[in-house]
Amino acid sequence: MTEEAMPITEMIKIKLVGCIDALTAPTIRGQIERAVAGGARRLVLDASELLYLSSAGLRLLGFVRQLVGHDVSIVVVGANDPVKRTIHLLGPQYNVLLQ
Amino acid sequence: MTMMRGGADDRIDSLPTHEIAGFRVRPGQPLPFGATFVPGGVSFSVFTNSATAVTLVLFRRGEPEPFAELPYPESYRIGGVWAMTVFGLDYEELDYGYRVAGPRRRPPGDRSDATRILADPHAKAMTGRDSWGALPDFGEAYPYRSRLVFDDFDWEDDRPIVRPLDEVVIYELHVRGFTRDPSSGVAEPGTYAGLVEKIPYLVELGITCVELMPVFEFDEFQNSRVDPATGERLLNYWGYSTVGFYAPKAGYAATGRLGMQCDEFKNLVKELHRAGIQVVLDVVFNHTAEGNENGPTIHFRGLDNATYYMLAPDGSYYNFSGTGNTFNCNHPVVRDYVLSCLRYWAAEYHVDGFRFDLAAILDRGPDGAPLANPPLLEAIAHDPLLRDCLLIAEAWDAGGLYQVGSFPSYQRWSEWNGRYRDTVRRFLKGDPGVACDLATRLAGSPDLYHGRGAGASINFVTCHDGFTLADLVAYNGKHNGGNGEGGRDGSDDNASWNCGAEGEADDPEILALRLRQAKNAILLLLAGQGVPMLLAGDEAGRTQRGNNNAYCHDSPLTWFDWSLVERNAGLVRFVRGCLRLRAAHPVLRDLRHPAGTDPVGLGFPDVSWHSRRPWQPDWSDDNRLLAMMRHGTGADGAPEFLYLAANAGWEPADLELPALPDGTRFSVAADTYAASPADVFRPGHGTALLVEGRFTVGPRAVALLVGRPHRKPGP
């Protein structure tokens, strides 16, 4: 798993790679925390290289939502079908948009 | 293994003290029972009074053989509770269970067997039946495995709905059957997620509470068999045989394969609440899936058979449930288990209430005798966490204990009113001598619930158990051949009437009569005193083709065919309209039993009885006509009169109506004899009487009139 943060004006883009599960979620969580610390109005999670999102991974979305607040839009782009399905079924509670 | 950091590494108990089978461990937390996340690890706590040794068995998810077995040191036991914290586990890839060794000299009823792996009775999730209907390996030694669950969930501001009983309209549904049919059009048919998509339909219909048939983990393949006549595999479709009391049914989750059933179910509750709909769970504590002496050993039997089950002196199982065993609900340990379980669902899943299957068993003592003051029922009634929960008893069991009207209520419990069901059915089919009893049922059954109010009476004409409403008016007898039980299953006492032909018919007169009879049942149900319950699909004429015990059919026979909503749009509209009327008229919802008093001061009692002549009810056996007038204050503060006329005779009846105060007139709010859309009107938009002071109620018809001060037309 790797992750990279690229502040672009008011948008922060974070790339999610590999699997997000109970083993990797805490690390990614820390990286996202640092990435959004400066504030942003739009958070884009690039999931084009994300293979799998487990229950712990889903919780990461909930954590991020609480972290950035409801004024910030969270968009997941490029997710594969299983990830998309998981977010579609359980992500709406976190107000995460799929693109 | 990877060491997980729990965020509280400075705690003394976040460090291991021993190593067992290559795992770092320390004494666990005896309470709560089950698997609990603690800093750096998981505490596994299990109760067993009879064990001499306990071993924690760990599997990698889905693998047939365990990768580790960790015997609990004797020093990790306090009393009968064995607790051990294990560090460095991969939470999401772990299945676990226990081996329990019993004493060499077994006391009567002991069934411990260290060769078996037992599930955790407190497991928050179970795996093994993750995808509904996926054929399992029937030779699997440990088929129902315990799993760890993250319990964090963003509920936002959601909390259980606290709603006065008079606003509750219950809709009993089967999670899978509600959307499994392709006609449902949902993206994830047959799942919690699918049900979410149908919430707008429930709101539009006017439902305020869904009662979900069992959603605790069960095995749909329990007692499964193939119907030799059709080749259809028969399943335990209803699910009244619990495997995991703390675990939501994974096979009902679109995400069950991913182990996210808990999140998906929570999301369902949250979305229902967002729509203003309460969630009541149908829970089965009267027995478990372990069955009789020949049943599988899943958990309780191997942990502490004599504690969890009612046993005869020879160690055999008492069978008050009709399924082979009886849960020993009033044993202090089991009482605590049941109560803790209910609290868990109320606190963790925000559910709003429970309907208890065969609840009479819950007031039996360990020897099977009914208790005068059953501690479990009392504890549930007074529990702080459950204080606002609906508590509904199916107040009978399969051992002959019938407690409708006498179930220990502690002023908290309501009951499925089986007598209401039977009386309404018999009246509608035209049985003689029923009008008097119908009056009592329409008035909230004060004979049964005196001092408790009509809120104690959950009124229903149909439920999952028995005919659907469409079948109630289309079949004289059950047609359960497809169940493969040689016609021995299902009730033979249905009080049903086919209206002239058995089953499918194309005679317009028969079809019209059936439709009217269905509407009659709906209007009586929704205009009478008590808490109404509808069976899902009845509003659209759902049929099970005469099967009155369709517990084993996972097929279009039991699924809701959503094309019916369009094909029977008139019936759906009628049900919706009646629910609108009920919501609009507080007098209809009043849960106070008739007191004979004048609530408004206009000289009219709260409830009065009539027939062809006002104030002259006919209680003779051959009478099939009854009118009830309820009087009180409307939503706008004006006096109201609600006149409900029910005619089960085959001739129309010309009624002289009670004279109302000056300026107050009746209008027709609903009339099942009229064709749609003139069969029900929006509240406040009823049609005027043809002849002032008189109304003709059609043959086999029910009508509701509303009397209100007449508003003069504006300039």
Side-chain angles (χ1 to χ4, degrees):
Chain A
M1 186 284 310
T2 63
E3 160 275 327
E4 57 190 64
M6 298 187 301
I8 305 172
T9 60
E10 293 189 313
M11 181 187 84
I12 292 177
K13 186 175 180 183
I14 296 174
K15 188 160 189 172
L16 307 171
V17 180
C19 299
I20 304 182
D21 56 21
L23 296 179
T24 59
T27 307
I28 299 173
R29 194 174 101 169
Q31 291 169 334
I32 292 178
E33 271 185 88
R34 287 192 296 277
V36 301
R41 296 178 64 178
R42 182 177 170 85
L43 176 61
V44 176
L45 300 175
D46 179 355
S48 57
E49 293 181 41
L50 179 63
L51 301 175
Y52 172 66
L53 190 69
S54 77
S55 181
L58 185 73
R59 286 176 154 65
L60 186 66
L61 295 179
F63 174 80
V64 171
R65 166 54 68 202
Q66 296 204 10
L67 185 69
V68 300
H70 283 273
D71 293 334
V72 177
S73 62
I74 302 175
V75 184
V76 176
V77 297
N80 64 28
D81 285 345
V83 170
K84 210 181 283 183
R85 183 166 175 260
T86 301
I87 296 175
H88 177 72
L89 288 170
L90 299 171
Q93 59 172 311
Y94 304 128
N95 292 322
V96 172
L97 300 175
L98 269 173
Q99 281 184 359
Chain B
M1 302 300 282
T2 304
M3 173 76 174
M4 296 298 299
R5 301 175 70 85
D9 297 344
D10 52 344
R11 285 180 60 101
I12 294 171
D13 58 5
S14 66
L15 295 174
T17 56
H18 302 82
E19 185 168 312
I20 298 175
F23 284 83
R24 289 164 294 169
V25 303
R26 68 176 293 127
Q29 298 179 355
L31 293 175
F33 296 140
T36 306
F37 290 112
V38 296
V42 180
S43 173
F44 295 91
S45 172
V46 62
F47 157 78
T48 162
N49 248 345
S50 57
T52 54
V54 176
T55 299
L56 176 67
V57 184
L58 303 178
F59 293 81
R60 288 192 184 85
R61 184 169 196 189
E63 292 189 357
E65 298 298 326
F67 68 87
E69 300 209 15
L70 288 68
Y72 281 72
E74 174 66 20
S75 60
Y76 285 25
R77 176 183 62 79
I78 296 178
V81 180
W82 304 70
M84 173 164 58
T85 293
V86 183
F87 297 88
L89 297 173
D90 183 350
Y91 306 143
E92 289 184 310
E93 291 301 315
L94 185 78
D95 300 339
Y96 72 96
Y98 299 105
R99 287 190 198 278
V100 172
R104 286 189 180 177
R105 305 186 81 178
R106 293 178 167 216
D110 183 89
R111 284 180 170 266
S112 51
D113 179 354
T115 67
R116 298 178 186 276
I117 302 172
L118 308 177
D120 181 355
H122 291 84
K124 312 276 192 316
M126 297 187 88
T127 185
R129 299 293 182 268
D130 302 342
S131 299
W132 176 276
L135 205 60
D137 174 5
F138 290 108
E140 170 69 63
Y142 182 41
Y144 316 113
R145 300 181 176 190
S146 308
R147 301 217 73 214
L148 304 175
V149 165
F150 299 113
D151 57 6
D152 55 329
F153 183 79
D154 186 6
W155 284 101
E156 298 180 88
D157 55 356
D158 179 83
R159 55 196 294 250
I161 296 175
V162 182
R163 166 174 290 140
L165 267 178
D166 72 303
E167 295 176 10
V168 174
V169 177
I170 300 171
Y171 188 81
E172 188 198 32
L173 68 83
H174 187 283
V175 169
R176 178 173 168 81
F178 197 57
T179 64
R180 175 58 188 83
D181 194 87
S183 61
S184 72
V186 303
E188 303 288 346
T191 65
Y192 304 126
L195 179 49
V196 169
E197 289 193 55
K198 289 298 184 185
I199 290 175
Y201 172 82
L202 299 173
V203 172
E204 177 64 14
L205 190 59
I207 299 305
T208 66
C209 175
V210 290
E211 182 175 306
L212 305 181
M213 287 171 66
V215 297
F216 291 1
E217 189 61 68
F218 64 92
D219 182 1
E220 64 269 26
F221 285 97
Q222 186 183 18
N223 299 322
S224 80
R225 59 199 187 281
V226 175
D227 180 354
T230 64
E232 179 194 1
R233 178 171 281 282
L234 303 176
L235 299 175
N236 177 4
Y237 170 71
W238 282 354
Y240 287 88
S241 192
T242 307
V243 169
F245 286 84
Y246 281 71
K249 174 72 183 154
Y252 285 169
T255 56
R257 278 186 309 107
L258 306 173
M260 298 189 197
Q261 61 268 28
C262 301
D263 290 316
E264 193 174 320
F265 187 72
K266 286 178 179 175
N267 193 52
L268 167 63
V269 174
K270 186 175 169 183
E271 292 301 320
L272 283 164
H273 282 175
R274 204 191 297 274
I277 297 175
Q278 294 176 292
V279 181
V280 167
L281 303 186
D282 190 344
V283 293
V284 189
F285 286 109
N286 59 77
H287 74 283
T288 79
E290 293 191 300
N292 63 13
E293 291 80 356
N294 302 314
T297 295
I298 299 172
H299 30 43
F300 301 114
R301 170 176 290 165
L303 285 168
D304 219 329
N305 190 49
T307 293
Y308 286 108
Y309 294 109
M310 292 186 196
L311 300 180
D314 65 355
S316 63
Y317 293 94
Y318 282 127
N319 183 16
F320 298 112
S321 66
T323 63
N325 66 50
T326 309
F327 214 38
N328 195 8
C329 290
N330 282 300
H331 183 290
V333 169
V334 187
R335 188 194 325 158
D336 180 60
Y337 178 81
V338 174
L339 191 60
S340 299
C341 183
L342 296 171
R343 299 173 96 183
Y344 175 75
W345 285 93
E348 189 64 29
Y349 285 92
H350 289 197
V351 303
D352 307 285
F354 305 93
R355 176 268 186 190
F356 295 76
D357 185 62
L358 297 185
I361 282 179
L362 276 56
D363 76 3
R364 291 183 184 268
D367 63 353
L371 301 171
N373 189 29
L376 174 60
L377 299 183
E378 184 180 34
I380 293 171
H382 296 298
D383 187 82
L385 254 173
L386 306 178
R387 190 193 68 182
D388 297 327
C389 283
L390 293 166
L391 302 175
I392 302 169
E394 184 186 36
W396 54 83
D397 66 22
L401 193 56
Y402 188 82
Q403 297 185 305
V404 173
S406 61
F407 190 81
S409 76
Y410 305 97
Q411 294 298 315
R412 279 282 285 118
W413 287 79
S414 301
E415 301 171 10
W416 269 22
N417 189 343
R419 189 155 167 194
Y420 175 94
R421 172 199 60 203
D422 300 341
T423 298
V424 169
R425 288 181 175 199
R426 285 169 51 220
F427 178 83
L428 288 177
K429 74 191 281 274
D431 281 0
V434 186
C436 185
D437 199 44
L438 180 70
T440 311
R441 300 310 131 222
L442 292 178
S445 298
D447 57 334
L448 301 175
Y449 304 116
H450 177 71
R452 295 165 62 182
S457 180
I458 307 297
N459 294 340
F460 65 104
V461 181
T462 54
C463 63
H464 70 275
D465 200 357
F467 282 137
T468 66
L469 184 58
D471 288 353
L472 185 72
V473 296
Y475 293 90
N476 283 347
K478 67 185 182 187
H479 295 262
N480 295 358
N483 295 356
E485 297 198 34
R488 293 181 300 277
D489 67 305
S491 177
D492 292 310
D493 183 14
N494 298 291
S496 61
W497 178 47
N498 65 19
C499 298
E502 188 74 351
E504 281 190 49
D506 51 14
D507 183 324
E509 283 190 30
I510 291 175
L511 294 176
L513 180 54
R514 287 177 179 175
L515 177 60
R516 196 156 76 244
Q517 288 283 71
K519 289 180 180 178
N520 290 343
I522 293 292
L523 185 51
L524 287 177
L525 179 67
L526 297 180
Q529 284 188 270
V531 178
M533 182 179 80
L534 295 162
L535 173 63
D538 274 358
E539 75 278 11
R542 187 176 73 88
T543 176
Q544 291 180 167
R545 304 195 180 285
N547 192 319
N548 74 351
N549 188 33
Y551 70 99
C552 54
H553 294 278
D554 175 40
S555 70
L557 184 77
T558 50
W559 301 340
F560 190 167
D561 175 358
W562 285 84
S563 71
L564 290 171
V565 174
E566 196 168 318
R567 283 189 280 148
N568 294 329
L571 179 57
V572 176
R573 179 186 174 279
F574 182 80
V575 175
R576 189 186 302 138
C578 290
L579 284 165
R580 298 276 189 282
L581 289 170
R582 183 177 175 85
H585 294 288
V587 174
L588 284 182
R589 292 183 275 111
D590 192 344
L591 295 177
R592 292 170 298 184
H593 282 135
T597 55
D598 177 359
V600 181
L602 292 175
F604 290 82
D606 48 0
V607 174
S608 54
W609 303 102
H610 314 269
S611 191
R612 284 180 173 76
R613 305 270 303 161
W615 308 103
Q616 295 178 25
D618 181 353
W619 304 122
S620 61
D621 275 358
D622 57 353
N623 172 53
R624 294 176 176 82
L625 175 68
L626 176 71
M628 173 174 77
M629 188 168 77
R630 293 164 69 184
H631 173 48
T633 304
D636 60 356
E640 274 190 344
F641 298 84
L642 279 298
Y643 181 91
L644 181 68
N647 180 18
W650 43 89
E651 298 289 343
D654 186 26
L655 309 179
E656 180 185 342
L657 303 175
L660 300 183
D662 287 347
T664 301
R665 291 182 188 171
F666 277 121
S667 61
V668 182
D671 180 1
T672 65
Y673 197 70
S676 181
D679 53 354
V680 66
F681 296 91
R682 283 188 297 133
H685 293 78
T687 184
L689 297 176
L690 293 175
V691 179
E692 199 62 35
R694 303 199 75 87
F695 178 75
T696 299
V697 59
R700 297 193 182 278
V702 178
L704 178 68
L705 313 183
V706 177
R708 289 182 56 82
H710 182 62
R711 284 176 296 188
K712 290 179 182 170

